[in-house]
Amino acid sequence: MNVEISQSPLPESPTGCGPIRPETENTGSSLRSRVFETVRSAGRISRIDLAKRLSVSPASITALVGELLDLGMLQEQSDTTRTTSRGRPPVALSVQPDAGYVVGIKLSRANHTALLVDAAGQPLAQASLTCTPRRRSVSQMLLETGQVLDALLKQANLERSDIACIGLGMPGMIDHAAGHMVWSPILTEVDLPLRRFAEDAFGVPVAVDNDANLVTLAELWFGKGRAMADFAVVTIEQGVGMGLVINHRLYRGAGSLGMELGHTKVQMDGALCQCGQRGCLEAYIADYALVREASTALDSSHFDTATPEVMLQQLYEQAKAGNEAARVIFRRAGRFLALGLANVVNLFDPPLIILSGERMQYDYLYADDVLREMHALSLNRDAAPQKVETHAWGDLMWAHGAAALALSEIADAMAERRG
């Protein structure tokens, strides 16, 4: 195993982070928490604009801002983009970056990625650990997680005790509310109290979720979905996942186990899925499904040594070069994707579907004919075609979402200075 500390420049978030909700929406949080979250989502905002945004009197805003300034949660800065009648820039409010730090960690079969983020949502450091692609025990997984966590903190000159929360995500069925791992394709055990095990191992509050929800949170907090009330995210990598945002909030289902698009059945008694059942959507379009069929298109002499990633790349190159067998594999996968997306449209009718994940490099999966077939399979064919966009964030996409999970988990506690 190898821990790699990235020295590449990290993306900035000058315009804030977090969902941009309507001014009139009451989230159920305290007014002080709403003030803090509104400042964070705006990046920089004046007191008068903050009062207008929340429909609260300027006097109430002044008092609450004063409390957050005293607590070290907010800071004042000159707003150089505006001037007062006297020609001086007014004072703007922003989140105090060192008010708290969170870590987002995405666990996978072959690579774990971690990101350190401050209270304003600004990335500070990143690290990754490459390991042998195999299933492992939860104890081994937590050992590896501790290695990448400590490498990240060493880069930032921080200790575990400096971290307010760790967001931890992996593929599989994860009950976020209970902190329970029901099943994961990267672990050998099932039905484990993952959050409790992780908190015992790291001595830090931990929030857990599945990786598709991480990507959706990344879009909701940092990406295309910040100002959107409703949207869906479909991920295609080692498996097929889905996240759904309704009214600016991630929807998980009654037991935090909903939105398992990859395990909706598209063919009775069909191909074997890694979950153990047959006919699941991901058994036709996920990485392992394409690799399973690659033997019909590639020179079998490469199979003994080639990794799944290499085989997929070879399959794609063969398809681009005109190998009809390779093209058929992608075309078939694209048709199953069209079926899955049509089901999303028919069930939820989201204004936007975001396709994300490493497989977005394979344009056969979202070619025009795939989207046309999705529309043909949708009920309301007389309406305009469903809006579908692709968004390839890169390796840090998942860790960004895990950091957003941690920030959302402690949002109220930070503003109230609890814990």
Side-chain angles (χ1 to χ4, degrees):
M1 293 182 293
N2 182 35
V3 179
E4 301 173 356
I5 299 177
S6 172
Q7 302 295 334
S8 58
L10 290 159
E12 297 183 358
S13 52
T15 56
C17 73
I20 302 174
R21 298 188 175 97
E23 301 170 6
T24 57
E25 183 178 334
N26 190 331
T27 63
S29 301
S30 71
L31 184 54
R32 190 162 80 178
S33 295
R34 290 168 60 200
V35 168
F36 177 74
E37 287 301 300
T38 302
V39 172
R40 178 156 59 185
S41 68
R44 288 190 180 92
I45 190 171
S46 67
R47 285 174 173 81
I48 190 66
D49 289 340
L50 185 59
K52 292 177 180 177
R53 182 81 59 88
L54 293 172
S55 300
V56 177
S57 71
S60 296
I61 289 297
T62 296
L64 292 166
V65 166
E67 294 174 7
L68 289 167
L69 288 170
D70 290 342
L71 288 169
M73 302 304 296
L74 298 182
Q75 62 181 357
E76 295 180 316
Q77 295 178 310
S78 295
D79 189 351
T80 57
T81 64
R82 302 171 61 183
T83 58
T84 65
S85 59
R86 297 181 180 180
R88 284 184 281 182
V91 172
L93 301 166
S94 62
V95 170
Q96 181 69 41
D98 62 2
Y101 303 99
V102 301
V103 171
I105 303 177
K106 161 60 176 3
L107 304 175
S108 66
R109 190 183 295 266
N111 188 67
H112 311 321
T113 306
L115 183 70
L116 175 70
V117 172
D118 66 24
Q122 180 68 42
L124 301 177
Q126 65 187 72
S128 63
L129 184 147
T130 302
C131 44
T132 304
R134 57 178 175 82
R135 289 195 177 201
R136 68 262 287 154
S137 66
V138 70
S139 59
Q140 178 62 34
M141 181 65 75
L142 291 175
L143 178 63
E144 295 169 4
T145 306
Q147 290 177 327
V148 72
L149 171 64
D150 290 338
L152 183 76
L153 296 179
K154 181 178 180 181
Q155 183 186 359
N157 197 27
L158 294 174
E159 303 293 333
R160 290 186 181 184
S161 58
D162 296 318
I163 303 304
C165 185
I166 297 173
L168 194 65
M170 65 174 65
M173 300 178 67
I174 311 294
D175 186 338
H176 163 75
H180 196 82
M181 186 278 294
V182 177
W183 168 83
S184 174
I186 67 174
L187 294 177
T188 55
E189 300 110 323
V190 297
D191 291 323
L192 294 174
L194 180 62
R195 181 177 62 202
R196 177 166 63 83
F197 284 176
E199 289 180 342
D200 289 346
F202 309 135
V204 176
V206 175
V208 298
D209 215 329
N210 74 55
D211 53 1
N213 283 341
L214 297 189
V215 179
T216 309
L217 285 169
E219 295 289 0
L220 181 62
W221 276 71
F222 300 101
K224 295 176 179 289
R226 290 192 61 204
M228 295 195 67
D230 309 292
F231 64 93
V233 174
V234 174
T235 63
I236 307 172
E237 288 205 342
Q238 294 290 335
V240 175
M242 176 181 165
L244 181 67
V245 169
I246 301 176
N247 195 22
H248 304 277
R249 291 172 178 82
L250 180 67
Y251 179 77
R252 295 183 172 92
S256 295
L257 301 175
M259 305 304 107
E260 289 291 345
L261 178 66
H263 299 289
T264 56
K265 303 302 180 281
V266 295
Q267 185 169 327
M268 294 296 293
D269 300 320
L272 182 64
C273 177
Q274 60 182 350
C275 74
Q277 296 187 8
R278 289 187 175 274
C280 296
L281 175 63
E282 76 169 41
Y284 295 91
I285 62 177
D287 287 8
Y288 66 90
L290 297 177
V291 167
R292 186 164 55 194
E293 296 204 15
S295 59
T296 64
L298 301 179
D299 182 354
S300 60
S301 64
H302 294 294
F303 293 163
D304 292 337
T305 58
T307 64
E309 290 76 16
V310 170
M311 289 180 66
L312 281 175
Q313 187 60 36
Q314 289 179 352
L315 183 68
Y316 182 63
E317 291 171 357
Q318 293 261 354
K320 283 296 187 182
N323 183 314
E324 186 58 26
R327 293 169 66 91
V328 166
I329 290 174
F330 279 108
R331 193 177 301 126
R332 181 170 181 262
R335 295 199 67 193
F336 274 105
L337 176 60
L339 174 60
L341 294 178
N343 288 337
V344 173
V345 174
N346 291 334
L347 283 169
F348 304 109
D349 189 26
L352 173 66
I353 297 176
I354 301 172
L355 296 179
S356 190
E358 204 170 338
R359 294 296 77 76
M360 289 306 97
Q361 63 182 298
Y362 300 143
D363 51 11
Y364 284 112
L365 289 178
Y366 56 93
D368 288 343
D369 55 347
V370 171
L371 300 183
R372 280 194 297 270
E373 186 156 12
M374 174 200 74
H375 184 59
L377 292 170
S378 302
L379 289 176
N380 193 7
R381 286 176 291 180
D382 294 331
Q386 181 72 33
K387 187 177 181 181
V388 178
E389 296 183 9
T390 60
H391 195 183
W393 283 56
D395 291 342
L396 283 180
M397 168 181 63
W398 313 91
H400 258 100
L405 172 66
L407 286 172
S408 63
E409 195 75 5
I410 63 169
D412 288 345
M414 287 186 69
E416 302 300 329
R417 267 307 193 199
R418 298 192 306 266

